[in-house]
Protein backbone atom coordinates (compact mmCIF):
# COMPACT_ATOMS: atom_id res chain seq x y z
CA UNK A 1 0.00 0.00 0.00
CA UNK A 2 1.28 3.49 -0.74
CA UNK A 3 0.03 6.92 0.23
CA UNK A 4 -0.11 9.72 -2.34
CA UNK A 5 -0.94 13.23 -1.11
CA UNK A 6 -1.83 16.01 -3.54
CA UNK A 7 -1.71 19.63 -2.34
CA UNK A 8 -3.89 22.62 -3.13
CA UNK A 9 -2.31 23.61 -6.45
CA UNK A 10 -2.24 19.96 -7.55
CA UNK A 11 -6.04 19.70 -7.22
CA UNK A 12 -6.79 23.36 -7.92
CA UNK A 13 -7.76 23.05 -11.59
CA UNK A 14 -9.95 20.50 -13.39
CA UNK A 15 -7.11 19.56 -15.74
CA UNK A 16 -4.86 18.86 -12.74
CA UNK A 17 -7.39 16.35 -11.39
CA UNK A 18 -6.97 14.64 -14.75
CA UNK A 19 -3.20 14.57 -14.22
CA UNK A 20 -3.75 13.05 -10.76
CA UNK A 21 -5.95 10.37 -12.28
CA UNK A 22 -3.02 9.50 -14.57
CA UNK A 23 -0.51 9.48 -11.72
CA UNK A 24 -2.54 7.16 -9.52
CA UNK A 25 -3.12 4.77 -12.43
CA UNK A 26 0.58 4.36 -13.31
CA UNK A 27 1.05 1.19 -11.23
CA UNK A 28 -1.14 -1.44 -9.58
CA UNK A 29 -0.01 -1.01 -5.99
CA UNK A 30 -3.01 -0.34 -3.68
CA UNK A 31 -3.21 3.32 -2.71
CA UNK A 32 -4.67 5.80 -0.30
CA UNK A 33 -4.95 9.17 -2.00
CA UNK A 34 -5.05 12.14 0.37
CA UNK A 35 -6.24 15.47 -1.01
CA UNK A 36 -6.01 19.06 0.19
CA UNK A 37 -8.67 21.64 -0.56
CA UNK A 38 -8.48 23.37 -3.97
CA UNK A 39 -5.86 26.15 -3.76
CA UNK A 40 -7.24 29.31 -2.19
CA UNK A 41 -10.25 27.57 -0.63
CA UNK A 42 -8.94 27.27 2.94
CA UNK A 43 -7.87 30.92 2.80
CA UNK A 44 -11.37 31.91 1.63
CA UNK A 45 -13.04 29.78 4.31
CA UNK A 46 -10.78 31.28 6.94
CA UNK A 47 -11.71 34.77 5.71
CA UNK A 48 -15.44 33.90 5.81
CA UNK A 49 -14.99 32.67 9.36
CA UNK A 50 -13.18 35.85 10.36
CA UNK A 51 -15.91 38.01 8.85
CA UNK A 52 -18.55 36.03 10.74
CA UNK A 53 -16.63 36.30 14.00
CA UNK A 54 -16.73 40.08 13.58
CA UNK A 55 -20.43 40.00 12.77
CA UNK A 56 -19.88 41.09 9.13
CA UNK A 57 -22.55 38.84 7.66
CA UNK A 58 -22.92 40.76 4.41
CA UNK A 59 -19.25 40.42 3.49
CA UNK A 60 -19.24 36.77 4.60
CA UNK A 61 -22.20 36.17 2.29
CA UNK A 62 -20.36 37.86 -0.58
CA UNK A 63 -17.31 35.64 -0.06
CA UNK A 64 -19.49 32.49 0.14
CA UNK A 65 -21.18 33.41 -3.16
CA UNK A 66 -17.83 34.06 -4.87
CA UNK A 67 -16.52 30.70 -3.65
CA UNK A 68 -19.66 28.93 -4.85
CA UNK A 69 -19.28 30.50 -8.28
CA UNK A 70 -15.69 29.25 -8.42
CA UNK A 71 -16.86 25.69 -7.69
CA UNK A 72 -19.75 25.92 -10.19
CA UNK A 73 -17.22 26.79 -12.92
CA UNK A 74 -14.90 24.06 -11.70
CA UNK A 75 -17.45 21.24 -12.04
CA UNK A 76 -18.58 22.51 -15.44
CA UNK A 77 -15.06 21.88 -16.71
CA UNK A 78 -14.34 18.76 -14.64
CA UNK A 79 -17.34 16.62 -15.54
CA UNK A 80 -18.72 15.81 -18.96
CA UNK A 81 -21.60 13.39 -18.38
CA UNK A 82 -24.90 14.82 -17.15
CA UNK A 83 -25.41 12.22 -14.36
CA UNK A 84 -22.02 12.96 -12.81
CA UNK A 85 -22.39 16.70 -13.28
CA UNK A 86 -25.72 16.53 -11.43
CA UNK A 87 -24.08 14.55 -8.61
CA UNK A 88 -21.41 17.23 -8.28
CA UNK A 89 -24.10 19.95 -8.29
CA UNK A 90 -25.78 18.17 -5.39
CA UNK A 91 -22.50 18.09 -3.45
CA UNK A 92 -22.07 21.84 -3.97
CA UNK A 93 -25.68 22.43 -2.92
CA UNK A 94 -25.14 20.48 0.29
CA UNK A 95 -21.92 22.26 1.30
CA UNK A 96 -22.95 25.77 0.26
CA UNK A 97 -26.30 25.32 1.99
CA UNK A 98 -24.31 24.58 5.15
CA UNK A 99 -22.23 27.73 4.66
CA UNK A 100 -25.38 29.79 4.11
CA UNK A 101 -27.03 28.36 7.23
CA UNK A 102 -24.08 29.30 9.43
CA UNK A 103 -24.65 32.90 8.42
CA UNK A 104 -27.69 32.74 10.66
CA UNK A 105 -26.20 31.08 13.73
CA UNK A 106 -23.89 32.51 16.35
CA UNK A 107 -20.17 32.14 15.80
CA UNK A 108 -18.02 29.81 17.90
CA UNK A 109 -14.60 28.18 17.65
CA UNK A 110 -16.26 24.82 16.88
CA UNK A 111 -18.14 26.43 14.02
CA UNK A 112 -14.89 27.92 12.72
CA UNK A 113 -13.44 24.40 12.47
CA UNK A 114 -16.57 23.16 10.70
CA UNK A 115 -16.22 25.98 8.15
CA UNK A 116 -12.52 25.22 7.56
CA UNK A 117 -13.30 21.53 6.96
CA UNK A 118 -15.52 22.24 3.94
CA UNK A 119 -12.54 22.60 1.56
CA UNK A 120 -11.16 19.06 1.87
CA UNK A 121 -14.66 17.54 1.95
CA UNK A 122 -15.48 19.33 -1.31
CA UNK A 123 -12.24 18.48 -3.14
CA UNK A 124 -12.39 14.76 -2.28
CA UNK A 125 -16.10 14.44 -3.11
CA UNK A 126 -15.63 16.13 -6.49
CA UNK A 127 -12.55 14.04 -7.26
CA UNK A 128 -14.46 10.90 -6.31
CA UNK A 129 -17.29 11.81 -8.73
CA UNK A 130 -14.69 12.48 -11.42
CA UNK A 131 -13.07 9.06 -10.82
CA UNK A 132 -16.51 7.41 -11.09
CA UNK A 133 -17.15 9.22 -14.37
CA UNK A 134 -13.82 7.83 -15.56
CA UNK A 135 -14.88 4.31 -14.43
CA UNK A 136 -12.08 4.07 -11.87
CA UNK A 137 -13.21 1.94 -8.92
CA UNK A 138 -12.42 3.47 -5.54
CA UNK A 139 -13.75 4.05 -2.02
CA UNK A 140 -14.24 7.53 -0.55
CA UNK A 141 -13.31 7.56 3.13
CA UNK A 142 -14.22 10.29 5.58
CA UNK A 143 -11.14 11.27 7.58
CA UNK A 144 -13.61 12.24 10.32
CA UNK A 145 -14.20 8.48 10.81
CA UNK A 146 -10.57 7.66 11.67
CA UNK A 147 -8.33 10.73 12.13
CA UNK A 148 -8.50 11.84 15.77
CA UNK A 149 -6.49 14.10 18.08
CA UNK A 150 -6.36 14.07 21.89
CA UNK A 151 -6.86 16.93 24.36
CA UNK A 152 -3.35 18.21 23.67
CA UNK A 153 -4.07 18.28 19.93
CA UNK A 154 -1.78 15.26 19.32
CA UNK A 155 -2.88 12.57 16.84
CA UNK A 156 -4.00 9.30 18.46
CA UNK A 157 -1.94 7.05 16.25
CA UNK A 158 -3.03 3.79 17.96
CA UNK A 159 -6.70 4.48 17.42
CA UNK A 160 -6.13 5.86 13.89
CA UNK A 161 -4.41 2.58 13.03
CA UNK A 162 -7.26 0.41 14.36
CA UNK A 163 -10.04 2.47 12.75
CA UNK A 164 -8.30 2.69 9.40
CA UNK A 165 -7.61 -1.06 9.38
CA UNK A 166 -11.32 -1.68 10.03
CA UNK A 167 -12.39 0.63 7.21
CA UNK A 168 -9.94 -1.00 4.81
CA UNK A 169 -10.97 -4.53 5.78
CA UNK A 170 -14.63 -3.63 5.16
CA UNK A 171 -13.57 -3.01 1.54
CA UNK A 172 -11.30 -6.02 0.99
CA UNK A 173 -11.23 -5.84 -2.79
CA UNK A 174 -10.66 -2.10 -3.03
CA UNK A 175 -7.32 -1.01 -4.49
CA UNK A 176 -7.91 2.73 -4.23
CA UNK A 177 -9.10 4.88 -1.32
CA UNK A 178 -9.62 8.63 -1.46
CA UNK A 179 -9.67 10.70 1.72
CA UNK A 180 -9.17 14.21 3.10
CA UNK A 181 -6.01 15.70 4.48
CA UNK A 182 -6.06 18.32 7.25
CA UNK A 183 -9.39 17.46 8.92
CA UNK A 184 -9.92 15.33 12.02
CA UNK A 185 -12.02 15.00 15.15
CA UNK A 186 -10.87 16.29 18.54
CA UNK A 187 -11.29 14.72 21.98
CA UNK A 188 -14.81 16.17 22.23
CA UNK A 189 -15.77 14.48 18.96
CA UNK A 190 -16.00 17.85 17.18
CA UNK A 191 -14.61 18.53 13.73
CA UNK A 192 -11.08 19.94 14.04
CA UNK A 193 -7.91 20.15 11.94
CA UNK A 194 -4.15 19.52 12.01
CA UNK A 195 -3.32 23.24 11.48
CA UNK A 196 -2.57 25.05 8.23
CA UNK A 197 -0.64 22.94 5.77
CA UNK A 198 -1.71 19.86 7.76
CA UNK A 199 -2.57 17.60 4.82
CA UNK A 200 1.09 16.53 4.67
CA UNK A 201 0.78 15.47 8.31
CA UNK A 202 -2.45 13.55 7.58
CA UNK A 203 -0.72 11.69 4.74
CA UNK A 204 2.25 10.80 6.90
CA UNK A 205 0.05 9.62 9.81
CA UNK A 206 -2.00 7.50 7.40
CA UNK A 207 1.18 6.04 5.88
CA UNK A 208 2.36 5.10 9.39
CA UNK A 209 -1.04 3.66 10.34
CA UNK A 210 -1.23 1.33 7.30
CA UNK A 211 2.53 0.51 7.18
CA UNK A 212 2.77 2.06 3.72
CA UNK A 213 5.79 1.38 1.52
CA UNK A 214 6.15 5.10 0.82
CA UNK A 215 4.43 8.44 1.47
CA UNK A 216 4.48 10.57 -1.67
CA UNK A 217 3.83 14.29 -1.23
CA UNK A 218 2.88 15.69 -4.65
CA UNK A 219 3.10 19.46 -4.88
CA UNK A 220 3.90 22.33 -7.27
CA UNK A 221 7.70 22.19 -7.13
CA UNK A 222 10.28 19.51 -7.93
CA UNK A 223 11.23 18.70 -4.33
CA UNK A 224 12.79 20.48 -1.37
CA UNK A 225 15.02 23.28 -2.66
CA UNK A 226 18.26 24.40 -1.05
CA UNK A 227 16.78 27.82 -0.20
CA UNK A 228 13.36 29.50 -0.22
CA UNK A 229 12.43 29.72 -3.94
CA UNK A 230 9.92 32.49 -3.19
CA UNK A 231 12.78 34.76 -2.10
CA UNK A 232 16.03 33.53 -3.66
CA UNK A 233 16.67 33.04 -7.40
CA UNK A 234 18.32 29.93 -8.81
CA UNK A 235 17.56 27.62 -5.90
CA UNK A 236 18.05 23.93 -6.65
CA UNK A 237 16.21 20.75 -5.66
CA UNK A 238 17.93 18.51 -3.12
CA UNK A 239 17.85 14.86 -4.18
CA UNK A 240 18.12 13.29 -0.75
CA UNK A 241 17.64 14.26 2.90
CA UNK A 242 17.70 12.36 6.18
CA UNK A 243 14.62 12.50 8.41
CA UNK A 244 16.46 14.83 10.79
CA UNK A 245 17.54 17.21 8.04
CA UNK A 246 14.03 17.32 6.55
CA UNK A 247 12.42 17.82 9.96
CA UNK A 248 14.75 20.74 10.73
CA UNK A 249 14.03 22.38 7.38
CA UNK A 250 10.28 21.93 7.74
CA UNK A 251 10.30 23.18 11.32
CA UNK A 252 12.43 26.18 10.40
CA UNK A 253 10.18 27.38 7.62
CA UNK A 254 10.50 25.32 4.42
CA UNK A 255 6.81 25.59 3.55
CA UNK A 256 6.83 22.57 1.23
CA UNK A 257 6.43 20.26 4.23
CA UNK A 258 4.31 20.52 7.40
CA UNK A 259 6.78 20.49 10.33
CA UNK A 260 5.18 17.50 12.06
CA UNK A 261 5.01 15.30 8.98
CA UNK A 262 8.43 13.72 9.45
CA UNK A 263 8.07 12.08 12.87
CA UNK A 264 5.63 9.36 11.71
CA UNK A 265 8.05 8.50 8.89
CA UNK A 266 10.91 8.29 11.36
CA UNK A 267 8.88 6.31 13.89
CA UNK A 268 7.40 3.81 11.42
CA UNK A 269 10.43 4.01 9.11
CA UNK A 270 8.92 4.60 5.69
CA UNK A 271 10.47 6.88 3.07
CA UNK A 272 8.85 10.18 2.09
CA UNK A 273 9.13 11.46 -1.47
CA UNK A 274 8.48 15.07 -2.45
CA UNK A 275 7.30 15.13 -6.07
CA UNK A 276 6.01 17.62 -8.62
CA UNK A 277 2.50 17.01 -10.03
CA UNK A 278 3.27 19.32 -12.95
CA UNK A 279 6.59 17.57 -13.68
CA UNK A 280 5.96 13.97 -12.56
CA UNK A 281 9.18 12.56 -13.96
CA UNK A 282 11.48 14.94 -12.09
CA UNK A 283 13.31 12.96 -9.37
CA UNK A 284 12.12 15.22 -6.51
CA UNK A 285 13.48 14.66 -3.00
CA UNK A 286 13.79 11.35 -1.19
CA UNK A 287 13.65 11.58 2.61
CA UNK A 288 14.89 8.50 4.47
CA UNK A 289 16.65 7.45 7.65
CA UNK A 290 20.23 8.38 6.76
CA UNK A 291 21.87 11.19 4.85
CA UNK A 292 23.75 10.41 1.65
CA UNK A 293 26.38 13.12 1.92
CA UNK A 294 28.10 15.54 4.26
CA UNK A 295 28.08 19.31 4.24
CA UNK A 296 25.54 22.12 3.96
CA UNK A 297 22.38 21.10 2.12
CA UNK A 298 19.84 23.87 2.58
CA UNK A 299 18.79 27.12 4.22
CA UNK A 300 15.33 27.91 5.58
CA UNK A 301 13.78 30.78 7.52
CA UNK A 302 11.10 30.99 10.17
CA UNK A 303 9.36 34.31 10.82
CA UNK A 304 7.52 35.91 13.73
CA UNK A 305 10.10 34.99 16.32
CA UNK A 306 10.45 36.80 19.64
CA UNK A 307 13.83 36.96 21.40
CA UNK A 308 13.87 37.24 25.18
CA UNK A 309 16.98 38.23 27.13
CA UNK A 310 17.18 37.65 30.89
CA UNK A 311 20.06 39.56 32.40
CA UNK A 312 21.15 38.84 35.90
CA UNK A 313 24.30 39.75 37.79
CA UNK A 314 23.61 37.52 40.74
CA UNK A 315 21.65 34.47 39.75
CA UNK A 316 23.10 33.24 36.52
CA UNK A 317 25.98 31.21 37.78
CA UNK A 318 23.88 29.75 40.54
CA UNK A 319 22.83 26.14 40.14
CA UNK A 320 19.28 25.78 38.93
CA UNK A 321 18.96 29.18 37.26
CA UNK A 322 18.38 27.77 33.79
CA UNK A 323 15.99 25.16 35.16
CA UNK A 324 13.87 27.93 36.73
CA UNK A 325 13.88 29.89 33.48
CA UNK A 326 12.91 26.83 31.42
CA UNK A 327 10.17 25.92 33.88
CA UNK A 328 8.44 29.23 33.16
CA UNK A 329 8.24 28.31 29.46
CA UNK A 330 7.12 24.78 30.28
CA UNK A 331 4.35 26.13 32.51
CA UNK A 332 2.98 28.15 29.57
CA UNK A 333 3.42 25.33 27.01
CA UNK A 334 5.77 27.55 25.01
CA UNK A 335 8.55 25.76 23.12
CA UNK A 336 11.96 27.42 22.95
CA UNK A 337 13.75 27.36 19.59
CA UNK A 338 17.18 28.88 20.25
CA UNK A 339 19.18 29.40 23.44
CA UNK A 340 22.47 31.22 23.98
CA UNK A 341 24.11 32.02 27.28
CA UNK A 342 26.84 34.31 28.58
CA UNK A 343 28.14 34.79 32.07
CA UNK A 344 25.48 37.34 32.97
CA UNK A 345 22.62 36.73 30.58
CA UNK A 346 20.67 34.14 28.72
CA UNK A 347 18.80 34.77 25.46
CA UNK A 348 16.06 32.52 24.13
CA UNK A 349 13.74 32.63 21.17
CA UNK A 350 10.11 31.55 20.93
CA UNK A 351 7.63 31.49 18.04
CA UNK A 352 4.45 31.37 20.07
CA UNK A 353 3.96 34.60 22.00
CA UNK A 354 0.42 33.87 23.24
CA UNK A 355 1.64 33.90 26.85
CA UNK A 356 4.43 36.43 26.47
CA UNK A 357 3.02 38.81 29.11
CA UNK A 358 2.68 36.06 31.70
CA UNK A 359 6.14 34.68 30.87
CA UNK A 360 7.79 38.11 31.22
CA UNK A 361 6.09 38.69 34.55
CA UNK A 362 7.48 35.46 35.99
CA UNK A 363 10.94 35.88 34.45
CA UNK A 364 11.22 39.33 36.02
CA UNK A 365 11.74 37.51 39.33
CA UNK A 366 15.13 36.36 38.00
CA UNK A 367 16.54 39.45 36.25
CA UNK A 368 16.00 42.29 33.79
CA UNK A 369 14.10 41.29 30.69
CA UNK A 370 14.59 42.66 27.17
CA UNK A 371 12.25 41.67 24.36
CA UNK A 372 12.99 41.88 20.61
CA UNK A 373 9.99 41.11 18.42
CA UNK A 374 9.81 40.65 14.62
CA UNK A 375 12.84 38.39 14.47
CA UNK A 376 13.55 35.63 11.94
CA UNK A 377 15.49 32.42 12.53
CA UNK A 378 17.62 31.52 9.56
CA UNK A 379 18.60 27.89 9.76
CA UNK A 380 21.45 26.24 7.86
CA UNK A 381 20.95 22.49 7.60
CA UNK A 382 23.08 19.60 6.43
CA UNK A 383 24.91 16.50 7.58
CA UNK A 384 27.81 17.01 10.01
CA UNK A 385 27.92 20.67 9.03
CA UNK A 386 29.44 21.82 12.26
CA UNK A 387 32.48 19.72 11.24
CA UNK A 388 32.47 20.99 7.66
CA UNK A 389 35.55 22.96 6.76
CA UNK A 390 35.25 26.75 6.82
CA UNK A 391 31.48 26.66 7.27
CA UNK A 392 31.48 29.30 10.01
CA UNK A 393 33.96 31.47 8.11
CA UNK A 394 31.72 31.33 5.05
CA UNK A 395 28.59 32.13 7.06
CA UNK A 396 30.11 35.06 8.93
CA UNK A 397 31.93 36.57 5.97
CA UNK A 398 28.65 36.39 3.98
CA UNK A 399 26.84 38.18 6.78
CA UNK A 400 29.45 40.80 7.69
CA UNK A 401 26.94 43.62 7.09
CA UNK A 402 23.95 42.01 8.81
CA UNK A 403 23.28 42.67 12.50
CA UNK A 404 22.96 39.18 13.99
CA UNK A 405 20.99 38.96 17.25
CA UNK A 406 21.80 35.33 18.22
CA UNK A 407 23.83 32.37 16.92
CA UNK A 408 23.32 28.73 17.78
CA UNK A 409 26.11 26.34 16.83
CA UNK A 410 27.04 22.91 18.12
CA UNK A 411 23.56 22.01 19.43
CA UNK A 412 23.47 19.33 16.79
CA UNK A 413 25.77 18.25 14.00
CA UNK A 414 23.31 19.21 11.32
CA UNK A 415 22.04 22.67 12.21
CA UNK A 416 23.44 26.17 12.58
CA UNK A 417 20.85 28.82 13.38
CA UNK A 418 21.11 32.58 13.41
CA UNK A 419 18.57 35.16 14.50
CA UNK A 420 18.16 38.37 12.52
CA UNK A 421 15.54 41.12 12.30
CA UNK A 422 12.80 40.29 9.82
CA UNK A 423 13.81 43.28 7.69
CA UNK A 424 17.19 41.60 7.12
CA UNK A 425 15.76 38.18 6.27
CA UNK A 426 15.71 38.53 2.51
CA UNK A 427 19.26 39.86 2.36
CA UNK A 428 20.47 37.17 4.76
CA UNK A 429 19.00 34.35 2.65
CA UNK A 430 20.47 35.79 -0.56
CA UNK A 431 23.91 36.44 0.93
CA UNK A 432 24.08 32.96 2.47
CA UNK A 433 23.01 31.42 -0.82
CA UNK A 434 25.87 33.18 -2.53
CA UNK A 435 28.41 32.35 0.16
CA UNK A 436 27.43 28.71 0.67
CA UNK A 437 26.18 27.48 -2.70
CA UNK A 438 27.40 29.76 -5.44
CA UNK A 439 31.13 29.87 -4.87
P1 LIG B 1 0.84 22.26 -1.31
O1 LIG B 1 -0.34 23.12 -1.53
O2 LIG B 1 1.09 21.26 -2.40
O3 LIG B 1 0.88 21.65 0.05
P2 LIG B 1 2.67 24.32 -0.42
O4 LIG B 1 2.35 25.66 -0.98
O5 LIG B 1 2.24 24.03 0.98
O6 LIG B 1 2.11 23.22 -1.43
O7 LIG B 1 4.24 24.03 -0.52
C1 LIG B 1 4.92 24.17 -1.74
C2 LIG B 1 5.57 25.55 -1.81
O8 LIG B 1 6.53 25.67 -0.78
C3 LIG B 1 6.36 25.81 -3.07
O9 LIG B 1 5.53 26.30 -4.10
C4 LIG B 1 7.40 26.83 -2.61
O10 LIG B 1 7.06 28.13 -2.98
C5 LIG B 1 7.36 26.77 -1.09
N1 LIG B 1 8.68 26.54 -0.49
C6 LIG B 1 9.21 27.25 0.53
N2 LIG B 1 10.44 26.82 0.84
C7 LIG B 1 10.71 25.79 0.00
C8 LIG B 1 11.84 24.96 -0.20
N3 LIG B 1 12.93 25.04 0.56
N4 LIG B 1 11.77 24.03 -1.18
C9 LIG B 1 10.68 23.90 -1.96
N5 LIG B 1 9.58 24.68 -1.83
C10 LIG B 1 9.59 25.61 -0.86
N1 LIG C 1 -6.11 23.06 3.06
C1 LIG C 1 -5.29 23.20 4.23
C2 LIG C 1 -4.51 24.50 4.18
O1 LIG C 1 -4.61 25.22 3.19
C3 LIG C 1 -4.38 22.04 4.45
C4 LIG C 1 -3.32 21.81 3.41
O2 LIG C 1 -3.44 22.31 2.28
O3 LIG C 1 -2.36 21.12 3.72
O4 LIG C 1 -3.86 24.83 5.12
MG1 LIG D 1 1.36 22.42 1.95
Amino acid sequence: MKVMKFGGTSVGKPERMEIIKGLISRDTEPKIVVLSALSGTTNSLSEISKQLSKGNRASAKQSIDALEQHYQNFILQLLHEETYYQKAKKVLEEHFEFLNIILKISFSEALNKDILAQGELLSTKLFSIYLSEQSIPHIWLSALDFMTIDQEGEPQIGSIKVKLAQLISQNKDAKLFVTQGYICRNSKGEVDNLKRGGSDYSASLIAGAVSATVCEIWTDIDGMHNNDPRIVDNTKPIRQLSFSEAAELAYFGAKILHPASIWPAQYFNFPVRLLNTMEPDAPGTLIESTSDSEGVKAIAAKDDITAIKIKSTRMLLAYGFLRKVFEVFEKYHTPIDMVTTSEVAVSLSIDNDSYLKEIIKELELYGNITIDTDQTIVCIVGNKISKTEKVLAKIFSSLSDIPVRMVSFGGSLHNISILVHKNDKERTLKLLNKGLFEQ
Side-chain angles (χ1 to χ4, degrees):
M1 178 85 89
K2 77 172 173 181
V3 172
M4 297 174 83
K5 176 259 169 176
F6 294 89
T9 7
S10 302
V11 290
K13 291 194 170 145
E15 60 271 28
R16 303 238 168 100
M17 287 204 172
E18 198 178 331
I19 298 179
I20 297 177
K21 181 199 82 177
L23 291 172
I24 62 181
S25 312
R26 289 209 290 193
D27 61 66
T28 54
E29 189 173 357
K31 293 172 186 79
I32 300 183
V33 171
V34 179
L35 301 186
S36 292
L38 310 196
S39 50
T41 296
T42 312
N43 285 346
S44 301
L45 292 168
S46 165
E47 194 49 44
I48 290 166
S49 211
K50 212 180 198 175
Q51 286 156 351
L52 280 176
S53 73
K54 290 186 196 153
N56 297 336
R57 277 159 214 256
S59 48
K61 172 70 179 148
Q62 247 177 17
S63 309
I64 294 170
D65 290 347
L67 195 62
E68 182 168 7
Q69 193 53 53
H70 179 73
Y71 277 84
Q72 293 291 359
N73 295 339
F74 190 90
I75 59 165
L76 261 177
Q77 290 172 51
L78 179 71
L79 301 156
H80 308 293
E81 286 179 32
E82 187 57 22
T83 345
Y84 295 100
Y85 175 70
Q86 288 306 331
K87 278 189 183 175
K89 259 194 116 70
K90 266 217 141 95
V91 165
L92 298 195
E93 252 170 53
E94 178 198 333
H95 287 273
F96 283 95
E97 193 179 291
F98 168 76
L99 288 174
N100 279 298
I101 286 172
I102 55 147
L103 283 172
K104 298 181 191 121
I105 50 184
S106 57
F107 184 82
S108 66
E109 194 40 40
L111 191 64
N112 172 41
K113 302 282 175 60
D114 265 323
I115 296 171
L116 292 174
Q118 300 307 305
E120 272 69 12
L121 291 168
L122 277 166
S123 66
T124 52
K125 287 185 185 177
L126 297 181
F127 184 62
S128 167
I129 295 171
Y130 171 66
L131 288 181
S132 300
E133 190 189 66
Q134 300 292 314
S135 311
I136 297 182
H138 66 283
I139 301 287
W140 182 91
L141 291 180
S142 171
L144 300 176
D145 290 339
F146 64 85
M147 189 59 79
T148 50
I149 52 173
D150 63 18
Q151 272 173 322
E152 304 286 322
E154 294 299 327
Q156 297 175 303
I157 189 71
S159 140
I160 295 168
K161 209 172 165 154
V162 172
K163 288 184 181 154
L164 206 43
Q166 274 168 358
L167 290 167
I168 292 172
S169 71
Q170 283 163 15
N171 298 284
K172 274 201 180 63
D173 298 327
K175 294 265 183 291
L176 179 62
F177 295 89
V178 175
T179 192
Q180 308 80 49
Y182 182 57
I183 64 173
C184 61
R185 280 193 194 278
N186 61 26
S187 57
K188 292 187 232 160
E190 300 160 343
V191 173
D192 209 319
N193 61 63
L194 301 176
K195 312 258 164 69
R196 293 306 305 269
S199 295
D200 302 331
Y201 195 17
S202 305
S204 169
L205 289 164
I206 292 170
V210 302
S211 307
T213 51
V214 60
C215 178
E216 296 181 349
I217 308 278
W218 290 83
T219 180
D220 57 2
I221 189 163
D222 54 347
M224 177 78 80
H225 276 219
N226 60 359
N227 207 328
D228 193 327
R230 296 165 297 181
I231 297 173
V232 180
D233 293 332
N234 300 320
T235 58
K236 294 188 178 59
I238 309 162
R239 295 280 163 259
Q240 197 269 1
L241 286 168
S242 68
F243 290 137
S244 316
E245 290 163 347
E248 298 254 17
L249 286 169
Y251 183 72
F252 286 109
K255 189 194 169 223
I256 187 171
L257 209 52
H258 184 280
S261 53
I262 291 298
W263 78 255
Q266 201 154 14
Y267 185 78
F268 293 100
N269 199 21
F270 56 84
V272 176
R273 275 188 190 280
L274 307 180
L275 295 156
N276 189 348
T277 308
M278 275 56 81
E279 224 184 287
D281 294 320
T285 301
L286 171 64
I287 305 169
E288 55 192 347
S289 59
T290 52
S291 186
D292 71 348
S293 60
E294 291 185 6
V296 175
K297 282 192 175 171
I299 303 164
K302 186 175 176 187
D303 298 320
D304 299 323
I305 302 291
T306 302
I308 303 168
K309 184 164 78 189
I310 306 132
K311 190 171 176 214
S312 162
T313 44
R314 219 163 36 85
M315 293 285 294
L316 193 70
L317 285 178
Y319 291 110
F321 171 76
L322 281 178
R323 179 175 51 78
K324 284 182 194 152
V325 167
F326 287 150
E327 272 171 1
V328 174
F329 291 88
E330 190 184 341
K331 180 172 169 190
Y332 292 101
H333 292 254
T334 302
I336 296 167
D337 284 329
M338 290 175 72
V339 186
T340 57
T341 59
S342 80
E343 181 129 347
V344 290
V346 52
S347 274
L348 325 134
S349 79
I350 57 171
D351 76 340
N352 176 358
D353 61 3
S354 316
Y355 295 102
L356 188 60
K357 260 197 209 144
E358 291 84 345
I359 288 172
I360 295 172
K361 205 165 163 217
E362 295 207 18
L363 289 176
E364 272 167 350
L365 296 173
Y366 308 121
N368 297 323
I369 313 297
T370 319
I371 304 293
D372 292 311
T373 54
D374 293 328
Q375 305 288 305
T376 294
I377 294 180
V378 175
C379 177
I380 299 135
V381 169
N383 183 26
K384 301 192 179 151
I385 47 171
S386 47
K387 286 187 176 167
T388 306
E389 219 182 317
K390 293 194 184 147
V391 70
L392 281 184
K394 283 182 189 167
I395 292 172
F396 288 117
S397 60
S398 304
L399 301 183
S400 55
D401 290 336
I402 305 267
V404 173
R405 167 72 180 77
M406 280 167 78
V407 180
S408 171
F409 172 80
S412 86
L413 279 175
H414 44 255
N415 171 338
I416 298 170
S417 297
I418 56 177
L419 192 69
V420 296
H421 192 271
K422 72 168 186 197
N423 296 343
D424 294 319
K425 164 185 163 177
E426 201 173 311
R427 227 154 44 97
T428 303
L429 290 180
K430 288 180 174 165
L431 288 168
L432 284 175
N433 208 66
K434 215 166 163 198
L436 292 169
F437 301 130
E438 291 169 21
Q439 275 166 9

